[in-house]
């Protein structure tokens, strides 16, 4: 069988994604019960970071250790990748020595090229276009607090960025509706909007967009790599802040998600993360459990 990669959520079937979310919940319970589960003994993961990270690095490194394996942190600054060694050559070399590779980079084409030349599974740990690992954690968090998301409505407020694109993929796979509320010129990928037009509604006013929704999600206004646009974006995104008052207009049992890191006073109000509707820290913890489920799915042979 050919190597399975995880470059976007679409590398999973809807059934596989649902199974993975359930499995992530089981692995969480096992860890909370102190159960040792080490199916990845003698497995090594290379983690290539061309952008900063807290959650992604800690969750993958801890997750591999907990599963009995080992993770190796490779910053592009300290490898030949950062000095221009072609991705194709790096992929052939690195994948000849490890069992799985995780990459956080800018251009989505880089992870696609790496995967093409890799003999082991490649995981996208964020590109400019997608952040599928985060969606595993988000969907696990929704599921553990509210049950199935099928038939519900989520709303994305703010920048139509990598997270928003991945929310569109999640909506299609898990069958929920998605409101997207962004300033003009900050829409998500046009091809995704067209492909999933039947379940997406575009808004410009957050107060209208949150009505009838069960999940409110947002993210920073300037993503990694957009630092120079930050000031301009602050002006463009005025009015797009998520606050408890905005959430009051959503359904009464709506929850709030943010992939973190967050900027209080910009995309969220000072008090948003402390609101009882915020499940952001469960979401963050779930990066660990969901990615362990993903690693198990990609690496452990089924009997
Ligand atoms: N949410 C997320 O990916 O966080 P890090 O950038 O800290 O990895
Ligand atoms: N959209 C953000 C997510 C960070 C986890 C970024 O790409 O920087």
């Amino acid at each position: 069988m050919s190597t399975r990669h995880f470059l976007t959520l679409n590398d999973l079937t809807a059934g596989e994604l649902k199974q993975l979310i359930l499995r992530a919940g089981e692995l969480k319970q096992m860890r909370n019960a102190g159960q040792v589960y080490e199916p990845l003994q003698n497995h090594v993961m290379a983690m290539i970071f061309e952008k900063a990270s807290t959650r992604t690095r800690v969750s993958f490194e801890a997750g591999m250790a907990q599963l009995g394996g080992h993770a190796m942190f490779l910053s592009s600054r300290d490898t030949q990748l950062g000095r221009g060694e072609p991705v194709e050559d790096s992929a052939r070399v690195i994948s000849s020595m490890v069992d799985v590779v995780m990459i956080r980079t800018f251009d989505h084409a880089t992870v696609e090229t790496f995967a093409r030349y890799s003999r082991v599974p490649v995981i996208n740990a964020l590109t400019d276009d997608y952040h599928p690992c985060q969606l595993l954690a988000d969907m696990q968090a929704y599921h553990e607090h509210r049950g199935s998301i099928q038939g519900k409505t989520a709303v994305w407020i703010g920048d139509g960025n990598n997270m928003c694109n991945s929310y569109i993929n999640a909506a299609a796979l898990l069958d929920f509706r998605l409101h997207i509320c962004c300033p003009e010129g900050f829409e998500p990928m046009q091809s995704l909007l067209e492909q999933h037009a039947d379940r997406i509604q575009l808004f410009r006013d957050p107060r209208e967009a949150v009505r009838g929704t069960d999940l409110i999600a947002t993210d920073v206004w300037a993503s990694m790599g957009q630092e120079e646009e930050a000031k301009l974006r602050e002006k463009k995104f005025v009015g797009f802040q998520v606050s408890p008052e905005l959430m009051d207009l959503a359904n009464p049992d709506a929850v709030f998600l943010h992939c973190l890191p967050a900027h209080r006073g910009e995309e969220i109000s000072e008090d948003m993360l402390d609101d009882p509707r915020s499940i952001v820290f469960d979401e963050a913890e779930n990066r660990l459990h969901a990615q362990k489920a993903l690693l198990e799915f990609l690496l452990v042979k089924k009997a």
Side-chain angles (χ1 to χ4, degrees), residues 38-46 64-65 67-72 97-100 295 298-301:
E38 297 185 331
L40 295 188
Q41 281 180 18
N42 299 317
H43 286 66
V44 177
M45 169 182 234
M64 272 307 280
L67 292 171
H70 180 80
M72 181 194 300
M97 300 179 189
V98 302
D99 303 280
V100 57
L295 289 166
L298 292 174
L299 298 177
V300 179
K301 297 220 175 4

Side-chain angles (χ1 to χ4, degrees), residues 51-53 55-56 104-105 125-131 134 156 159 161-164 219-227 258-261 287:
K51 289 176 173 171
S53 168
R55 280 144 289 270
T56 303
R104 167 168 285 197
T105 188
L126 182 145
T127 62
D128 290 345
D129 290 346
Y130 296 102
H131 196 3
Q134 183 67 51
W156 179 264
D159 190 18
N161 62 12
N162 44 10
M163 278 295 299
C164 184
D219 188 12
V220 291
W221 292 337
S223 285
M224 289 182 277
Q226 298 173 330
E227 288 76 8
H258 188 311
C259 63
L260 302 180
R287 293 294 302 278

Side-chain angles (χ1 to χ4, degrees), residues 30-150:
M30 283 161 62
R31 178 167 162 71
N32 288 342
Q35 197 177 325
V36 175
Y37 175 61
E38 297 185 331
L40 295 188
Q41 281 180 18
N42 299 317
H43 286 66
V44 177
M45 169 182 234
M47 307 192 297
I48 301 170
F49 281 94
E50 299 195 327
K51 289 176 173 171
S53 168
T54 296
R55 280 144 289 270
T56 303
R57 179 179 177 181
V58 174
S59 55
F60 269 117
E61 205 164 321
M64 272 307 280
Q66 289 163 16
L67 292 171
H70 180 80
M72 181 194 300
F73 174 75
L74 300 169
S75 146
S76 57
R77 261 205 318 258
D78 308 316
T79 58
Q80 300 290 5
L81 263 171
R83 294 181 62 248
E85 181 168 13
V87 174
E88 294 85 338
D89 297 351
S90 305
R92 276 186 275 205
V93 172
I94 294 170
S95 74
S96 71
M97 300 179 189
V98 302
D99 303 280
V100 57
V101 179
M102 181 236 86
I103 311 180
R104 167 168 285 197
T105 188
F106 294 84
D107 193 354
H108 189 73
T110 303
V111 294
E112 292 178 333
T113 304
F114 200 108
R116 212 162 31 249
Y117 286 87
S118 171
R119 61 161 95 154
V120 300
V122 174
I123 296 171
N124 173 7
L126 182 145
T127 62
D128 290 345
D129 290 346
Y130 296 102
H131 196 3
C133 289
Q134 183 67 51
L135 259 291
L136 299 180
D138 284 35
M139 293 299 101
Q140 184 190 349
Y142 187 86
H143 186 269
E144 70 191 359
H145 283 268
R146 295 287 183 267
S148 171
I149 196 165
Q150 185 170 18

Side-chain angles (χ1 to χ4, degrees), residues 177-232:
R177 297 192 57 77
L178 185 62
H179 292 179
I180 295 173
C181 185
C182 53
E184 234 176 297
F186 296 91
E187 292 81 9
M189 213 181 279
Q190 185 61 29
S191 56
L192 285 177
L193 285 179
E194 284 166 17
Q195 194 185 344
H196 301 294
D198 55 328
R199 64 176 72 248
I200 296 175
Q201 215 179 324
L202 211 55
F203 293 83
R204 299 295 179 203
D205 179 355
R207 297 173 64 85
E208 277 176 34
V210 297
R211 276 181 222 285
T213 62
D214 308 288
L215 185 173
I216 287 87
T218 190
D219 188 12
V220 291
W221 292 337
S223 285
M224 289 182 277
Q226 298 173 330
E227 288 76 8
E228 284 178 8
E229 296 172 33
K231 281 277 159 267
L232 171 83

